[in-house]
Coordinates of all heavy atoms in Angstrom, one line a residue:
L108 N -3.2 -5.0 -5.1 CA -3.8 -4.0 -6.0 C -4.8 -3.1 -5.3 O -5.6 -3.6 -4.5 CB -4.5 -4.7 -7.2 CG -3.8 -5.7 -7.9 CD1 -4.7 -6.5 -8.9 CD2 -2.6 -5.2 -8.7
D109 N -4.7 -1.8 -5.5 CA -5.6 -0.9 -4.9 C -6.8 -0.7 -5.8 O -6.8 -1.3 -7.0 CB -5.0 0.4 -4.6 CG -4.4 1.2 -5.8 OD1 -4.9 0.9 -6.9 OD2 -3.5 2.0 -5.6
D110 N -7.9 -0.1 -5.4 CA -9.1 0.0 -6.2 C -8.9 0.7 -7.5 O -9.4 0.2 -8.6 CB -10.2 0.7 -5.4 CG -10.7 -0.1 -4.2 OD1 -10.5 -1.4 -4.3 OD2 -11.2 0.4 -3.3
P111 N -8.2 1.8 -7.6 CA -7.9 2.5 -8.9 C -7.2 1.5 -9.9 O -7.5 1.5 -11.1 CB -7.0 3.7 -8.6 CG -7.4 4.0 -7.2 CD -7.6 2.7 -6.6
M112 N -6.3 0.7 -9.4 CA -5.6 -0.2 -10.3 C -6.5 -1.3 -10.8 O -6.5 -1.7 -12.0 CB -4.4 -0.9 -9.5 CG -3.3 0.1 -9.2 SD -2.0 -0.8 -8.2 CE -1.5 -2.0 -9.3
K113 N -7.4 -1.8 -9.9 CA -8.4 -2.8 -10.3 C -9.3 -2.2 -11.4 O -9.6 -2.9 -12.3 CB -9.2 -3.3 -9.1 CG -8.4 -4.0 -8.1 CD -9.2 -4.4 -6.8 CE -8.4 -5.2 -5.8 NZ -9.2 -5.5 -4.6
A114 N -9.7 -1.0 -11.2 CA -10.6 -0.4 -12.2 C -9.9 -0.2 -13.5 O -10.5 -0.4 -14.6 CB -11.1 1.0 -11.6
Q115 N -8.7 0.2 -13.5 CA -7.9 0.4 -14.7 C -7.8 -0.9 -15.4 O -7.8 -1.0 -16.7 CB -6.6 1.0 -14.4 CG -5.7 1.4 -15.7 CD -4.5 2.2 -15.4 OE1 -4.4 2.7 -14.3 NE2 -3.6 2.2 -16.3
L116 N -7.4 -2.0 -14.7 CA -7.3 -3.3 -15.3 C -8.6 -3.8 -15.9 O -8.6 -4.4 -17.0 CB -6.7 -4.3 -14.3 CG -5.3 -4.2 -13.9 CD1 -5.0 -5.0 -12.7 CD2 -4.3 -4.6 -15.1
N117 N -9.7 -3.6 -15.1 CA -11.0 -4.0 -15.6 C -11.4 -3.2 -16.9 O -11.9 -3.8 -17.8 CB -12.0 -3.7 -14.6 CG -13.4 -4.1 -15.0 OD1 -13.7 -5.3 -15.1 ND2 -14.3 -3.1 -15.1
H118 N -11.0 -2.0 -17.0 CA -11.2 -1.2 -18.2 C -10.5 -1.8 -19.4 O -11.0 -1.7 -20.6 CB -10.8 0.3 -18.0 CG -11.0 1.2 -19.2 ND1 -12.3 1.6 -19.5 CD2 -10.2 1.7 -20.1 CE1 -12.2 2.4 -20.6 NE2 -10.9 2.4 -20.9
S119 N -9.4 -2.4 -19.2 CA -8.6 -3.1 -20.3 C -9.1 -4.5 -20.5 O -8.5 -5.2 -21.3 CB -7.1 -3.1 -20.0 OG -6.6 -1.7 -19.9
G120 N -10.2 -4.9 -19.8 CA -10.7 -6.3 -20.0 C -9.9 -7.3 -19.3 O -9.9 -8.5 -19.7
V121 N -9.3 -7.0 -18.1 CA -8.5 -7.9 -17.4 C -9.4 -8.3 -16.1 O -9.8 -7.4 -15.3 CB -7.2 -7.3 -16.9 CG1 -6.4 -8.3 -16.0 CG2 -6.4 -6.9 -18.0
C122 N -9.6 -9.6 -16.0 CA -10.4 -10.1 -14.9 C -9.4 -10.7 -13.9 O -8.5 -11.3 -14.2 CB -11.3 -11.3 -15.5 SG -12.2 -12.3 -14.2
L123 N -9.8 -10.4 -12.6 CA -8.9 -10.9 -11.5 C -9.5 -12.1 -10.8 O -10.6 -12.2 -10.6 CB -8.8 -9.7 -10.4 CG -8.2 -8.4 -10.9 CD1 -8.2 -7.4 -9.8 CD2 -6.8 -8.5 -11.5
R124 N -8.6 -13.1 -10.6 CA -8.9 -14.3 -9.9 C -7.8 -14.7 -8.9 O -6.7 -14.3 -9.1 CB -9.2 -15.5 -10.9 CG -10.4 -15.2 -11.7 CD -10.7 -16.4 -12.6 NE -11.8 -16.1 -13.5 CZ -12.3 -16.9 -14.5 NH1 -11.7 -18.0 -14.7 NH2 -13.3 -16.6 -15.3
P125 N -8.1 -15.4 -7.9 CA -7.1 -15.8 -6.9 C -5.9 -16.6 -7.6 O -6.1 -17.3 -8.5 CB -7.8 -16.7 -5.9 CG -9.3 -16.3 -6.1 CD -9.5 -15.9 -7.5
Y126 N -4.7 -16.4 -7.0 CA -3.5 -16.9 -7.7 C -3.6 -18.4 -7.9 O -3.3 -18.9 -8.9 CB -2.3 -16.6 -6.7 CG -1.0 -17.1 -7.1 CD1 -0.4 -16.5 -8.2 CD2 -0.4 -18.2 -6.4 CE1 0.9 -16.9 -8.6 CE2 0.9 -18.6 -6.8 CZ 1.5 -18.0 -7.9 OH 2.7 -18.4 -8.3
D127 N -4.1 -19.2 -6.9 CA -4.0 -20.6 -7.0 C -5.2 -21.2 -7.8 O -5.3 -22.4 -8.0 CB -4.0 -21.3 -5.6 CG -2.7 -21.1 -4.9 OD1 -1.7 -21.1 -5.6 OD2 -2.7 -21.0 -3.7
Q128 N -6.1 -20.3 -8.2 CA -7.3 -20.8 -8.9 C -7.0 -21.3 -10.4 O -7.8 -21.9 -11.0 CB -8.4 -19.8 -9.0 CG -9.7 -20.3 -9.5 CD -10.8 -19.2 -9.5 OE1 -10.9 -18.4 -8.5 NE2 -11.8 -19.3 -10.4
L129 N -5.8 -20.9 -10.8 CA -5.4 -21.2 -12.2 C -5.6 -22.7 -12.5 O -6.2 -23.0 -13.5 CB -3.9 -20.8 -12.4 CG -3.4 -21.3 -13.8 CD1 -3.9 -20.5 -14.9 CD2 -1.8 -21.3 -13.8
F130 N -5.1 -23.5 -11.6 CA -5.1 -25.0 -11.9 C -6.5 -25.6 -12.0 O -6.8 -26.4 -12.9 CB -4.3 -25.7 -10.8 CG -2.9 -25.1 -10.7 CD1 -2.5 -24.2 -9.7 CD2 -1.9 -25.4 -11.7 CE1 -1.3 -23.7 -9.5 CE2 -0.6 -24.8 -11.5 CZ -0.3 -24.0 -10.5
D131 N -7.4 -25.1 -11.2 CA -8.8 -25.6 -11.3 C -9.4 -25.1 -12.6 O -10.1 -25.8 -13.2 CB -9.6 -25.1 -10.1 CG -9.3 -25.8 -8.8 OD1 -8.8 -27.0 -8.9 OD2 -9.5 -25.2 -7.7
D132 N -9.1 -23.9 -12.9 CA -9.7 -23.3 -14.2 C -9.1 -24.1 -15.4 O -9.9 -24.3 -16.4 CB -9.3 -21.8 -14.3 CG -10.2 -20.9 -13.4 OD1 -11.0 -21.5 -12.7 OD2 -10.0 -19.7 -13.4
L133 N -7.9 -24.4 -15.4 CA -7.3 -25.2 -16.5 C -8.0 -26.6 -16.6 O -8.2 -27.0 -17.7 CB -5.8 -25.4 -16.3 CG -4.9 -24.1 -16.4 CD1 -3.5 -24.4 -16.2 CD2 -5.1 -23.4 -17.8
R134 N -8.3 -27.2 -15.5 CA -8.9 -28.5 -15.5 C -10.3 -28.4 -16.1 O -10.8 -29.4 -16.6 CB -9.0 -29.1 -14.1 CG -7.6 -29.4 -13.5 CD -7.7 -30.1 -12.2 NE -6.4 -30.2 -11.5 CZ -5.9 -29.4 -10.6 NH1 -6.7 -28.4 -10.1 NH2 -4.7 -29.6 -10.1
Q135 N -10.9 -27.3 -16.0 CA -12.3 -27.1 -16.5 C -12.4 -26.7 -18.0 O -13.5 -26.6 -18.5 CB -13.0 -26.0 -15.7 CG -13.1 -26.3 -14.2 CD -13.9 -27.6 -13.9 OE1 -14.9 -27.9 -14.6 NE2 -13.3 -28.4 -13.0
L136 N -11.2 -26.6 -18.6 CA -11.2 -26.2 -20.0 C -11.8 -27.3 -20.9 O -11.7 -28.5 -20.5 CB -9.8 -25.9 -20.5 CG -9.1 -24.7 -19.9 CD1 -7.7 -24.6 -20.5 CD2 -9.9 -23.5 -20.3
S137 N -12.3 -26.9 -22.0 CA -12.8 -28.0 -23.0 C -11.7 -28.7 -23.6 O -10.7 -28.0 -24.0 CB -13.7 -27.3 -24.0 OG -14.0 -28.2 -25.1
P138 N -11.8 -30.0 -23.7 CA -10.7 -30.8 -24.3 C -10.4 -30.4 -25.8 O -9.3 -30.7 -26.3 CB -11.1 -32.3 -24.2 CG -12.1 -32.2 -23.1 CD -12.8 -30.9 -23.2
E139 N -11.4 -29.8 -26.4 CA -11.2 -29.4 -27.8 C -10.4 -28.1 -28.1 O -10.1 -27.8 -29.2 CB -12.6 -29.2 -28.5 CG -13.4 -30.6 -28.7 CD -14.0 -31.0 -27.4 OE1 -14.3 -30.1 -26.5 OE2 -14.2 -32.2 -27.3
Q140 N -10.1 -27.4 -27.0 CA -9.5 -26.1 -27.1 C -8.0 -26.2 -27.4 O -7.3 -27.2 -27.0 CB -9.7 -25.3 -25.8 CG -11.1 -24.8 -25.7 CD -11.2 -23.8 -24.5 OE1 -11.0 -24.2 -23.4 NE2 -11.7 -22.6 -24.8
C141 N -7.5 -25.2 -28.1 CA -6.0 -25.2 -28.4 C -5.4 -24.2 -27.5 O -5.8 -23.0 -27.5 CB -5.9 -24.8 -29.9 SG -4.2 -24.6 -30.4
V142 N -4.3 -24.6 -26.8 CA -3.7 -23.7 -25.9 C -2.2 -23.5 -26.3 O -1.5 -24.4 -26.5 CB -3.7 -24.4 -24.4 CG1 -3.1 -23.4 -23.4 CG2 -5.1 -24.7 -24.0
W143 N -1.9 -22.2 -26.3 CA -0.5 -21.8 -26.6 C 0.2 -21.8 -25.3 O -0.1 -20.9 -24.4 CB -0.5 -20.5 -27.3 CG 0.9 -20.1 -27.8 CD1 2.1 -20.5 -27.5 CD2 1.1 -19.0 -28.8 NE1 3.1 -19.9 -28.2 CE2 2.5 -18.9 -29.0 CE3 0.3 -18.2 -29.6 CZ2 3.1 -18.1 -29.9 CZ3 0.8 -17.3 -30.5 CH2 2.2 -17.2 -30.6
V144 N 1.2 -22.6 -25.1 CA 2.0 -22.6 -23.8 C 3.4 -23.0 -24.1 O 3.7 -24.0 -24.8 CB 1.3 -23.6 -22.9 CG1 1.0 -24.9 -23.5 CG2 2.1 -23.8 -21.6
D145 N 4.3 -22.2 -23.6 CA 5.8 -22.6 -23.7 C 6.1 -23.5 -22.6 O 6.3 -23.0 -21.5 CB 6.6 -21.3 -23.8 CG 8.0 -21.5 -23.9 OD1 8.5 -22.7 -24.0 OD2 8.8 -20.5 -24.0
R146 N 6.4 -24.8 -22.9 CA 6.7 -25.7 -21.8 C 8.0 -25.4 -21.1 O 8.1 -25.8 -19.9 CB 6.8 -27.1 -22.4 CG 5.5 -27.7 -22.9 CD 5.7 -29.1 -23.5 NE 4.5 -29.7 -24.0 CZ 3.8 -30.6 -23.3 NH1 4.1 -30.9 -22.0 NH2 2.7 -31.2 -23.8
K147 N 8.9 -24.6 -21.7 CA 10.1 -24.3 -21.0 C 9.9 -23.2 -20.0 O 10.8 -22.9 -19.2 CB 11.1 -23.9 -22.1 CG 11.6 -25.0 -23.0 CD 12.6 -24.5 -24.0 CE 13.1 -25.7 -24.9 NZ 14.1 -25.2 -25.9
Q148 N 8.8 -22.5 -20.1 CA 8.4 -21.4 -19.2 C 7.4 -21.7 -18.2 O 7.4 -21.3 -17.0 CB 8.0 -20.1 -20.0 CG 9.1 -19.5 -20.8 CD 10.0 -18.6 -20.0 OE1 9.8 -18.4 -18.8 NE2 11.1 -18.2 -20.5
V149 N 6.4 -22.6 -18.6 CA 5.3 -22.9 -17.7 C 5.6 -24.1 -16.8 O 6.2 -25.1 -17.3 CB 4.0 -23.1 -18.6 CG1 2.9 -23.6 -17.7 CG2 3.6 -21.9 -19.3
N150 N 5.2 -24.1 -15.6 CA 5.5 -25.2 -14.7 C 4.7 -26.5 -15.0 O 3.7 -26.4 -15.7 CB 5.3 -24.8 -13.2 CG 3.9 -24.4 -12.9 OD1 2.9 -25.2 -13.2 ND2 3.7 -23.2 -12.3
C151 N 5.2 -27.6 -14.6 CA 4.7 -28.9 -14.9 C 3.3 -29.1 -14.4 O 2.4 -29.7 -15.0 CB 5.5 -30.0 -14.4 SG 7.1 -30.2 -15.2
A152 N 3.0 -28.5 -13.3 CA 1.6 -28.6 -12.7 C 0.6 -28.0 -13.6 O -0.5 -28.5 -13.7 CB 1.6 -27.9 -11.3
A153 N 0.9 -26.8 -14.2 CA 0.0 -26.2 -15.1 C -0.3 -27.0 -16.3 O -1.4 -27.2 -16.8 CB 0.5 -24.8 -15.4
V154 N 0.8 -27.5 -16.9 CA 0.7 -28.4 -18.1 C -0.1 -29.6 -17.8 O -1.0 -30.1 -18.6 CB 2.0 -28.7 -18.7 CG1 1.9 -29.7 -19.8 CG2 2.8 -27.5 -19.1
A155 N 0.1 -30.2 -16.6 CA -0.6 -31.4 -16.3 C -2.1 -31.2 -16.0 O -2.9 -32.1 -16.1 CB 0.1 -32.0 -15.0
A156 N -2.4 -30.0 -15.6 CA -3.8 -29.6 -15.4 C -4.6 -29.5 -16.6 O -5.9 -29.6 -16.6 CB -3.9 -28.3 -14.6
L157 N -4.0 -29.4 -17.8 CA -4.8 -29.2 -19.0 C -5.5 -30.6 -19.3 O -4.9 -31.7 -19.2 CB -3.8 -28.9 -20.2 CG -3.2 -27.5 -20.1 CD1 -2.1 -27.4 -21.2 CD2 -4.3 -26.4 -20.3
P158 N -6.8 -30.6 -19.7 CA -7.5 -31.8 -20.0 C -6.8 -32.6 -21.1 O -6.2 -32.0 -22.0 CB -8.9 -31.3 -20.4 CG -9.0 -29.9 -19.9 CD -7.6 -29.4 -19.9
Q159 N -7.0 -33.9 -21.0 CA -6.6 -34.8 -22.1 C -7.3 -34.4 -23.4 O -8.5 -34.2 -23.4 CB -6.9 -36.2 -21.8 CG -6.1 -36.8 -20.6 CD -4.7 -37.1 -21.0 OE1 -4.3 -37.3 -22.2 NE2 -3.8 -37.1 -20.0
G160 N -6.6 -34.3 -24.5 CA -7.2 -34.0 -25.7 C -6.9 -32.5 -26.2 O -7.1 -32.2 -27.3
C161 N -6.5 -31.7 -25.2 CA -6.2 -30.3 -25.6 C -5.0 -30.3 -26.5 O -4.0 -31.0 -26.3 CB -5.8 -29.5 -24.3 SG -7.2 -28.7 -23.5
R162 N -5.1 -29.5 -27.6 CA -4.0 -29.4 -28.5 C -3.1 -28.3 -27.9 O -3.6 -27.1 -27.6 CB -4.5 -29.0 -29.9 CG -3.4 -29.0 -30.9 CD -3.9 -29.0 -32.3 NE -4.5 -27.7 -32.7 CZ -3.8 -26.7 -33.2 NH1 -2.5 -26.8 -33.4 NH2 -4.4 -25.6 -33.5
I163 N -1.8 -28.6 -27.8 CA -0.9 -27.6 -27.2 C 0.0 -27.1 -28.3 O 0.7 -27.8 -29.1 CB -0.1 -28.2 -26.1 CG1 -1.0 -28.6 -24.9 CG2 1.0 -27.3 -25.6 CD1 -0.2 -29.3 -23.8
I164 N 0.1 -25.8 -28.4 CA 1.1 -25.1 -29.3 C 2.3 -24.8 -28.4 O 2.3 -23.9 -27.6 CB 0.6 -23.8 -29.9 CG1 -0.6 -24.2 -30.8 CG2 1.6 -23.2 -30.7 CD1 -1.3 -22.9 -31.4
D165 N 3.3 -25.6 -28.5 CA 4.5 -25.5 -27.6 C 5.5 -24.6 -28.3 O 6.5 -25.1 -28.9 CB 5.1 -26.9 -27.3 CG 6.2 -26.8 -26.3 OD1 6.5 -25.7 -25.7 OD2 6.9 -27.9 -26.1
E166 N 5.4 -23.4 -28.2 CA 6.2 -22.4 -28.8 C 6.5 -21.1 -27.9 O 5.7 -20.9 -27.0 CB 5.7 -21.8 -30.1 CG 5.5 -22.9 -31.2 CD 5.0 -22.3 -32.5 OE1 5.0 -21.1 -32.6 OE2 4.6 -23.1 -33.4
V167 N 7.6 -20.5 -28.1 CA 7.9 -19.3 -27.3 C 6.8 -18.2 -27.6 O 6.4 -18.0 -28.7 CB 9.3 -18.8 -27.7 CG1 9.6 -17.4 -27.1 CG2 10.4 -19.8 -27.4
S168 N 6.5 -17.5 -26.5 CA 5.5 -16.5 -26.7 C 6.0 -15.3 -27.5 O 7.2 -15.0 -27.3 CB 5.1 -16.0 -25.3 OG 4.2 -14.8 -25.4
P169 N 5.2 -14.7 -28.3 CA 5.7 -13.5 -29.1 C 6.1 -12.4 -28.1 O 6.8 -11.5 -28.6 CB 4.5 -13.2 -29.9 CG 3.3 -13.8 -29.2 CD 3.8 -15.0 -28.6
I170 N 5.6 -12.4 -26.9 CA 6.0 -11.4 -25.9 C 7.5 -11.3 -25.8 O 8.1 -10.2 -25.5 CB 5.3 -11.6 -24.6 CG1 3.8 -11.5 -24.7 CG2 5.8 -10.7 -23.5 CD1 3.0 -11.9 -23.5
V171 N 8.2 -12.4 -25.9 CA 9.7 -12.5 -25.6 C 10.3 -11.5 -26.6 O 11.2 -10.7 -26.2 CB 10.2 -13.9 -25.8 CG1 11.7 -13.9 -25.7 CG2 9.6 -14.8 -24.7
L172 N 10.0 -11.6 -27.9 CA 10.6 -10.7 -28.9 C 10.1 -9.3 -28.8 O 10.9 -8.3 -28.9 CB 10.3 -11.3 -30.3 CG 10.9 -10.4 -31.5 CD1 12.4 -10.3 -31.4 CD2 10.5 -11.0 -32.8
W173 N 8.8 -9.1 -28.5 CA 8.2 -7.7 -28.4 C 8.9 -7.0 -27.3 O 9.2 -5.8 -27.4 CB 6.7 -7.8 -28.3 CG 6.0 -8.4 -29.4 CD1 6.5 -8.5 -30.7 CD2 4.7 -8.9 -29.4 NE1 5.5 -9.1 -31.5 CE2 4.4 -9.4 -30.7 CE3 3.7 -9.1 -28.4 CZ2 3.1 -10.0 -31.0 CZ3 2.5 -9.7 -28.7 CH2 2.2 -10.1 -30.0
K174 N 9.1 -7.7 -26.2 CA 9.7 -7.1 -25.0 C 11.1 -6.7 -25.2 O 11.6 -5.7 -24.7 CB 9.6 -8.1 -23.8 CG 10.0 -7.5 -22.5 CD 9.6 -8.5 -21.3 CE 10.3 -9.7 -21.4 NZ 11.8 -9.5 -21.0
A175 N 11.8 -7.5 -26.1 CA 13.2 -7.2 -26.4 C 13.4 -5.9 -27.3 O 14.5 -5.3 -27.2 CB 13.8 -8.4 -27.0
I176 N 12.4 -5.7 -28.1 CA 12.5 -4.5 -29.0 C 11.9 -3.3 -28.4 O 10.7 -3.2 -28.2 CB 11.8 -4.8 -30.3 CG1 12.4 -6.1 -31.0 CG2 11.9 -3.6 -31.3 CD1 11.6 -6.5 -32.2
K177 N 12.8 -2.4 -27.9 CA 12.3 -1.2 -27.2 C 11.7 -0.2 -28.1 O 12.3 0.2 -29.1 CB 13.5 -0.6 -26.4 CG 14.2 -1.6 -25.5 CD 13.2 -2.3 -24.5 CE 14.0 -3.3 -23.6 NZ 13.1 -4.0 -22.7

Side-chain angles (χ1 to χ4, degrees):
L108 310 171
D109 58 27
D110 289 340
M112 291 175 62
K113 293 177 182 179
Q115 187 173 340
L116 288 168
N117 181 67
H118 181 74
S119 297
V121 180
C122 170
L123 303 177
R124 293 184 186 174
Y126 179 71
D127 289 328
Q128 189 176 327
L129 169 75
F130 305 101
D131 287 336
D132 285 357
L133 292 178
R134 295 185 188 98
Q135 299 302 316
L136 293 178
S137 168
E139 289 78 26
Q140 289 185 301
C141 177
V142 183
W143 188 342
V144 50
D145 182 357
R146 289 179 182 266
K147 294 180 180 179
Q148 290 283 352
V149 176
N150 59 56
C151 292
V154 176
L157 294 172
Q159 290 288 336
C161 270
R162 186 166 72 89
I163 295 178
I164 299 175
D165 184 9
E166 295 183 12
V167 174
S168 173
I170 294 174
V171 174
L172 180 59
W173 296 341
K174 188 167 67 70
I176 302 174
K177 305 304 180 185

